[in-house]
Amino acid sequence: MEASNRLPYFLIDLMKSVMECEAGVEDKADVLLFEIGRQLVNCNANKEPTADLEYLYDTTKWLQSEIISKM
């Protein structure tokens, strides 16, 4: 399975971590945003569609802001 295909699962895991108040969720969100951004750059360079990745990025960014506001 390609890395980009696993990104939704990583987002789900991050959401679970937030719900369970696990430590390190800020770092998990940062890593996920970086990985999604890297995949977006690759797709743009290869002229591939990015809508799904953009949705994942926006959702992760929103979740990150929620994490920060709860600290």
Side-chain angles (χ1 to χ4, degrees):
M1 182 181 285
E2 281 184 39
S4 63
N5 292 338
R6 292 183 299 199
L7 292 173
Y9 298 109
F10 295 147
L11 178 57
I12 291 168
D13 287 342
L14 175 60
M15 289 179 174
K16 287 179 183 177
S17 294
V18 170
M19 291 172 65
E20 294 173 2
C21 301
E22 290 180 10
V25 291
E26 303 90 359
D27 293 336
K28 286 182 180 182
D30 289 340
V31 169
L32 182 55
L33 283 171
F34 175 81
E35 191 58 38
I36 295 169
R38 193 173 68 77
Q39 292 296 324
L40 278 167
V41 169
N42 289 339
C43 285
N44 283 327
N46 295 322
K47 298 185 184 343
E48 296 173 351
T50 60
D52 290 342
L53 287 171
E54 289 173 20
Y55 178 77
L56 288 175
Y57 187 89
D58 291 344
T59 303
T60 305
K61 198 72 175 150
W62 168 82
L63 185 57
Q64 183 185 48
S65 71
E66 291 294 310
I67 293 167
I68 292 168
S69 73
K70 303 270 191 252
M71 294 178 74

